[in-house]
Amino acid sequence: MTQRWANWSGSVAAEVRAVLYPHDETSLAGAVARARQVRATGAGHSFMPLCQSDDLIVSLEHMAGELRVAADRTTARVPAGWSLKRLTASLWEQGLALANQGDVNPQSVAGSMATGTHGTGATLGSLSTFARGFRLVLADGSTCWCDADTDPELWQAQRLSLGLFGIATEIELAVVPAFHLSERIEKRPWAEVREQFESLCGQHRHVEFFLFPHGDDVILKTLDETDACEPPPASKGDSEARFRRMLDIGVTLPFTVPMLQRRMMSGPMKGRRRGPAHAIFPSDRAVRFEEMEYELPRTAGLETLDEVVRWIRRKRLPVAFPFEYRVVAPDDIWISPMNAGPVASISMHQYARMPWRALFAEAEAIFRAAAGRPHWAKRHTLTREDVDSLYPQAERFRAVRRRVDPAGKFLNGHLRELFG
């Protein structure tokens, strides 16, 4: 008997001996010790086969645990399997928050950190930069704690780990006093935003935009701190329903995608929301898609996006989703795409019901030529040689993996090719 596991988009699946939902660390440790191969999964938002296994997949969403705030209120220890939604709501009850988030929040805390998930903000790093310590279940079922003072090599590798060193059951992370945000969304000409983007980054705490490749305007989104206020009303989802109708037409009639996008962007577009930060950061994302994301040197970001858009327009390619453009601060994490300096993040999406592999392959060549490095959980075709070329600390990362998991229990086929 086997169980089937699939990721959120449905493009990655596995037939495994078991998908385990342990309620305590003891049962988790026993299962890990007995297993031949183990991978952990959160919400399944990885588009690469990071969670694939042919033996055991573990989810910690039902694990017992509680939020524990440090006396100085600058850090908190949290169950690693909690979703970002649950974590940030619990922090809010304590008058605390994460300094930054991405634009969705169902992912697990551990999964987000293990893959370098990020939001936008010129002075704000990925969620991995918030990590201060980890409690891990190792391959033999034993447990350990690592931080900057206790086994600092393991801690450095674990900050963005791809799940290669053990299964995190508790994470200590940096927190900040709770704050409120004001969101402003408006339609602006692409040429204008490209000219003004750097100055906008200096004017706002968070800036990002969405660009349909066949349109001439962008959807510009800014977030700034504001006075305390009530949460915003729930979204009615009208715009998403309209967007889904456009996508479904594109499945049957892909040649209509350019026209449909221009029509989608033809009307007025303006929005305002205010509320607790954890309620304003995320957006509803119910439409299934496939995604590739590359982090490029910030100085090359806008020019590269323009090149990709020109390629799509020239060939009238049916890229149905908008590009998402963000900025992220640099860090010092060994295999982080942000460890070479500040980056511009370009996310390319395609509707899950439409072809994406050939489109992503051609776009990836443009991103790689601009010195881009992919988000580890989004579609990419890196080889071991590419990893060594892009990440000078890659072999140091592998050495830690060999020390704590010498038999490679946490490796699957995809990760063995890169880090085995």
Side-chain angles (χ1 to χ4, degrees):
M1 294 289 291
T2 60
Q3 289 180 254
R4 187 178 189 275
W5 172 90
N7 72 338
W8 176 79
S9 71
S11 64
V12 181
E15 295 291 335
V16 295
R17 174 177 59 82
V19 179
L20 181 68
Y21 296 84
H23 287 82
D24 56 65
E25 190 176 84
T26 300
S27 59
L28 169 65
V32 169
R34 292 187 297 271
R36 176 176 52 80
Q37 182 192 78
V38 186
R39 293 300 298 164
T41 185
H45 274 243
S46 292
F47 299 91
M48 291 298 290
L50 296 178
C51 302
Q52 267 187 343
S53 171
D54 60 8
D55 186 31
L56 179 65
I57 290 178
V58 173
S59 169
L60 303 188
E61 64 177 287
H62 300 319
M63 278 271 284
E66 61 181 1
L67 176 70
R68 294 185 291 150
V69 178
D72 65 3
R73 294 177 61 78
T74 62
T75 62
R77 292 196 179 186
V78 307
W82 276 14
S83 67
L84 291 172
K85 181 177 182 178
R86 182 177 180 182
L87 167 63
T88 54
S90 298
L91 286 173
W92 192 262
E93 292 175 356
Q94 300 290 327
L96 299 168
L98 297 179
N100 200 10
Q101 292 178 233
D103 56 5
V104 292
N105 62 6
Q107 309 104 310
S108 69
V109 179
S112 299
M113 290 188 166
T115 55
T117 296
H118 60 84
T120 188
T123 63
L124 298 163
S126 73
L127 270 65
S128 302
T129 66
F130 301 166
R132 298 295 180 266
F134 299 87
R135 181 173 174 83
L136 298 174
V137 172
L138 301 176
D140 62 359
S142 65
T143 60
C144 74
W145 177 264
C146 63
D147 58 29
D149 299 314
T150 305
D151 202 340
E153 287 274 300
L154 177 56
W155 173 70
Q156 285 285 5
Q158 178 64 30
R159 292 165 76 193
L160 198 166
S161 68
L162 303 179
L164 287 173
F165 308 102
I167 297 180
T169 58
E170 185 177 55
I171 301 175
E172 182 175 84
L173 45 78
V175 294
V176 299
F179 60 100
H180 292 71
L181 287 173
S182 173
E183 175 189 83
R184 179 185 179 120
I185 293 175
E186 59 184 326
K187 185 172 72 172
R188 298 269 290 274
W190 162 224
E192 176 186 307
V193 169
R194 182 178 175 183
E195 181 72 23
Q196 299 178 0
F197 187 78
E198 287 303 316
S199 63
L200 288 169
C201 287
Q203 296 167 25
H204 300 281
R205 192 179 195 269
H206 310 269
V207 183
E208 64 180 302
F209 65 82
F210 300 86
L211 171 62
F212 281 103
H214 296 287
D216 295 321
D217 298 305
V218 307
I219 302 168
L220 178 68
K221 175 180 173 180
T222 60
L223 297 172
D224 292 289
E225 289 195 46
T226 189
D227 297 334
C229 52
E230 293 298 313
S235 169
K236 295 180 180 179
D238 295 341
S239 60
E240 185 164 279
R242 182 183 172 209
F243 181 43
R244 188 189 294 273
R245 287 194 296 272
M246 183 199 83
L247 293 171
D248 288 337
I249 294 170
V251 171
T252 306
L253 305 170
F255 65 89
T256 66
V257 167
M259 177 270 294
L260 291 169
Q261 286 187 3
R262 290 190 290 271
R263 181 178 296 176
M264 185 90 180
M265 293 295 293
S266 64
M269 198 168 294
K270 195 171 286 189
R272 305 285 186 275
R273 289 194 306 160
R274 297 172 71 244
H278 73 96
I280 298 299
F281 276 126
S283 305
D284 294 330
R285 293 285 185 89
V287 179
R288 306 286 167 143
F289 55 79
E290 202 67 21
E291 182 177 1
M292 176 173 65
E293 177 184 306
Y294 261 77
E295 325 298 347
L296 296 93
R298 186 166 157 183
T299 54
L302 291 166
E303 180 180 347
T304 304
L305 176 59
D306 192 53
E307 181 180 352
V308 172
V309 168
R310 283 187 279 110
W311 158 68
I312 291 170
R313 290 180 179 179
R314 184 172 64 251
K315 294 191 172 184
R316 293 185 60 80
L317 298 172
V319 178
F321 264 71
F323 284 88
E324 182 179 15
Y325 189 93
R326 296 174 286 177
V327 294
V328 190
D331 60 47
D332 61 353
I333 300 173
W334 288 352
I335 64 164
S336 165
M338 282 68 77
N339 69 11
V343 304
S345 170
I346 302 177
S347 296
M348 181 178 182
H349 308 75
Q350 179 67 309
Y351 190 28
R353 296 180 59 206
M354 297 178 72
W356 54 269
R357 290 185 186 276
L359 292 172
F360 284 6
E362 289 196 59
E364 185 176 28
I366 297 173
F367 295 142
R368 289 292 305 277
R373 300 195 285 186
H375 188 306
W376 288 104
K378 312 296 173 68
R379 286 289 172 179
H380 68 81
T381 61
L382 292 193
T383 64
R384 186 186 183 94
E385 291 73 24
D386 293 329
V387 172
D388 289 338
S389 174
L390 294 171
Y391 294 101
Q393 300 292 345
E395 189 52 39
R396 193 175 180 186
F397 181 85
R398 293 189 190 103
V400 176
R401 191 208 63 73
R402 291 191 294 269
R403 171 167 67 88
V404 299
D405 182 21
K409 182 175 287 190
F410 296 110
L411 289 170
N412 62 16
H414 165 64
L415 291 166
R416 187 177 298 278
E417 290 179 3
L418 301 179
F419 298 104

